[in-house]
Amino acid sequence: MTTLEAPDVKPQTRLAEVLDLQRAAFLRDGAPSLNERRDDLKRLIAAIKENVDAIATAISADFGSRSKQESIVADTWPVVAGARNAAKHLPGWMKPKSVGVGIELLPGRGRILYQPLGVVGIVSPWNYPFQLAIAPLVAALAAGNRVMLKPSELTPRTSEFLAGFLAKLFPEEKVATVLGGPEVGAAFSALPFDHLFYTGSTEIGRRVMRAAAENLTPVTLELGGKSPCIINADADLAAACRSIAFGKLLNAGQTCIAPDYALVPKPMLGDFVAGLEAAIRALYPTLRDNPDYTSIVNARHYARIARLVDEARERGVRVVEINPAAEKLAPEARKFAPTLVVDPPADLAVMREEIFGPVLPILSYDAFDDAIAFVNARPRPLALYYFGVGTAGRDRVLARTTSGGAAVNETLLHVAAENLPFGGVGASGMGAYHGEAGFRTFSHAKSVFLQSRLNATNLLHPPYGRAADFMRKFLVGR
């Protein structure tokens, strides 16, 4: 564990020392073997299983209230599943790949070797503070790298837990956890890593990319944005409402791929609002003392969400607050009631900003292509959700829109499919991980040309004469 919050410690100096330590170890030891990588992953899996309750307790303490079951489903299970998947498939991922070189270069052969990049930096966010720190760590270790991790200062108990947890499993020269606030984060992003992986807001992502550019450090940015739900006229409305309510209210909406707004055919608007109300009441019959309903992470984020709803009310937009037991929700407890904002104008903040809370704008549309055009007129989202029975509408939406990922007749669960790359596009991010995609992200694909002892390379060398004319006709004219 490396703590840089003391005033007499310069972040840049201590961070550089840890980076130098890891880089020297990487150069000394070289790429770890398959067995070493598997051992690292299996040790990590075992430790997570032993600490499931401690992880959930730390996260709940940071949020004020968060369900143990929710933390298992959203923070620990995906990491264990990802590590198991990596350990199982590593032999195939690591295997050199033979490729053709073309008839002109025969009898030469081509091969791609996958090598670890070296020292990787990971900056993780607060909303899923265990999963979004450890999942990229799994991919980086599977690819054979050393890792420096900077978890969020907004979830200090989980970050402290992570530091102690990882220090027991790995020496600092393999995995080092760096604790600190924004100053440390800025210094961390400016280090000359071999790869920098950031999960968080688009605004901070831009700063991270600017800092990395000074060192020509390649980056993966896992950002967010406004992920739409498109409901077609043939959708199973009750099933769609259940799925959207679950996806929106998991972690109280503090999820990068949470449904951000819904597009509904105008004749179905009333039924959709009523269906969502019913689905939410079934999921959360009470709010105030319900351990299943998560608090907003801090007072600043609570106030931001409240401002979004207040602005809609002030503009005369229909706002539906769903508080099944009609409880008084004290702001200091930060339990924000599920709220629907019906047909808000596009200039409202709730339609311009990523919500990251239990508030769902619902917009009605006249023609199906109007919904597609609405999505395409905005920055490309991290996720897109489509609800409909037939294949024509589904295929049209998938073909005509661009998003980081998509799910049909479901929300969120595509993130749990390890064989599907997870990542954004455009404003919602760049690069991907999970499964083999994560291994490739943290690997260098080295191209190797293997020349045969008997070859015709001399025909390509000067002095050029009749042989060169023959080769020109062969190479260009065929």
Side-chain angles (χ1 to χ4, degrees), residues 71-139:
S71 291
I72 291 171
V73 168
D75 266 283
T76 54
W77 165 63
V79 175
V80 171
R84 280 183 185 143
N85 184 68
K88 177 181 178 181
H89 291 101
L90 259 179
W93 297 348
M94 293 174 64
K95 185 178 180 180
K97 182 180 178 182
S98 295
V99 295
V101 296
I103 191 173
E104 298 88 348
L105 297 179
L106 291 176
R109 292 166 293 139
R111 184 177 296 171
I112 299 173
L113 303 179
Y114 294 99
Q115 296 183 306
L117 295 170
V119 181
V120 167
I122 296 172
V123 181
S124 61
W126 56 265
N127 58 322
Y128 291 95
F130 189 81
Q131 185 219 136
L132 296 178
I134 302 299
L137 173 73
V138 165

Side-chain angles (χ1 to χ4, degrees), residues 89-350:
H89 291 101
L90 259 179
W93 297 348
M94 293 174 64
K95 185 178 180 180
K97 182 180 178 182
S98 295
V99 295
V101 296
I103 191 173
E104 298 88 348
L105 297 179
L106 291 176
R109 292 166 293 139
R111 184 177 296 171
I112 299 173
L113 303 179
Y114 294 99
Q115 296 183 306
L117 295 170
V119 181
V120 167
I122 296 172
V123 181
S124 61
W126 56 265
N127 58 322
Y128 291 95
F130 189 81
Q131 185 219 136
L132 296 178
I134 302 299
L137 173 73
V138 165
L141 290 176
N145 297 280
R146 313 275 168 154
V147 179
M148 290 175 65
L149 169 67
K150 165 63 177 73
S152 174
E153 69 277 9
L154 297 185
T155 44
R157 296 167 185 85
T158 309
S159 294
E160 288 279 358
F161 173 84
L162 279 166
F165 173 79
L166 292 172
K168 292 176 184 176
L169 295 175
F170 305 105
E172 189 176 51
E173 66 178 25
K174 177 171 280 189
V175 177
T177 308
V178 175
L179 302 180
E183 181 187 357
V184 172
F188 189 92
S189 300
L191 290 173
F193 290 113
D194 297 298
H195 194 96
L196 182 57
F197 188 103
Y198 168 81
T199 305
S201 72
T202 301
E203 177 189 355
I204 303 301
R206 290 190 177 98
R207 298 183 200 173
V208 168
M209 192 169 183
R210 279 195 293 268
E214 291 296 318
N215 299 305
L216 296 180
T217 298
V219 297
T220 298
L221 300 178
E222 298 293 346
L223 307 177
K226 298 183 74 64
S227 297
C229 295
I230 297 179
I231 292 83
N232 204 346
D234 65 348
D236 179 336
L237 205 57
C241 288
R242 286 194 299 269
S243 178
I244 293 169
F246 166 74
K248 185 61 183 179
L249 298 180
L250 182 76
N251 205 30
Q254 298 165 110
T255 304
C256 58
I257 55 170
D260 196 277
Y261 64 94
L263 294 160
V264 188
K266 194 162 285 183
M268 298 171 64
L269 179 61
D271 289 340
F272 182 74
V273 171
L276 269 179
E277 284 193 73
I280 291 169
R281 288 174 182 274
L283 290 172
Y284 304 101
T286 64
L287 301 176
R288 186 182 61 197
D289 301 318
N290 187 346
D292 293 340
Y293 192 68
T294 299
S295 299
I296 303 303
V297 69
N298 59 33
R300 179 171 62 88
H301 282 276
Y302 182 93
R304 178 187 58 80
I305 296 166
R307 283 196 298 272
L308 297 178
V309 176
D310 289 344
E311 183 193 25
R313 282 197 177 100
E314 290 164 4
R315 291 280 295 275
V317 177
R318 181 187 173 197
V319 173
V320 180
E321 182 181 291
I322 303 165
N323 186 345
E327 299 163 292
K328 182 175 176 57
L329 302 178
E332 56 269 22
R334 304 192 306 278
K335 291 274 186 101
F336 200 99
T339 303
L340 310 178
V341 182
V342 184
D343 267 334
D347 65 328
L348 282 186
V350 77

